[in-house]
Amino acid sequence: MTGAEIKEARETLGLTLVEFGHLLGFSGAHLRQQMHRLETGERPIREPQRRLIVAYLEGYRPKDWPQREP
């Protein structure tokens, strides 16, 4: 999965960089930087994270999925 595909997946899911980062297991002060590196292809995606993205695109939603106000 390329960086562009990761960014496209995030946008398709309607998530912010931070929200998507949390769902992929990133945390801490460098979350935005780590996600930016994924989306630009500077950092390779790990297989478990790739599988999560595929599951999210197929409709899986964990309990901690970000909720939007109507």
Side-chain angles (χ1 to χ4, degrees), residues 33-49:
Q33 180 183 15
Q34 292 170 342
M35 285 302 298
H36 175 74
R37 290 180 64 214
L38 270 181
E39 289 189 354
T40 60
E42 292 177 46
R43 177 187 179 131
I45 189 163
R46 296 180 186 152
E47 183 60 18
Q49 293 168 325

Side-chain angles (χ1 to χ4, degrees), residues 13 15 19-20 22-25 51-53 55-67:
L13 294 166
L15 298 170
E19 290 169 338
F20 202 38
H22 283 297
L23 289 170
L24 293 179
R51 289 181 185 184
L52 272 175
I53 292 172
Y56 296 152
L57 290 171
E58 291 177 349
Y60 170 70
R61 299 295 184 264
K63 291 180 183 178
D64 61 347
W65 190 263
Q67 299 298 312

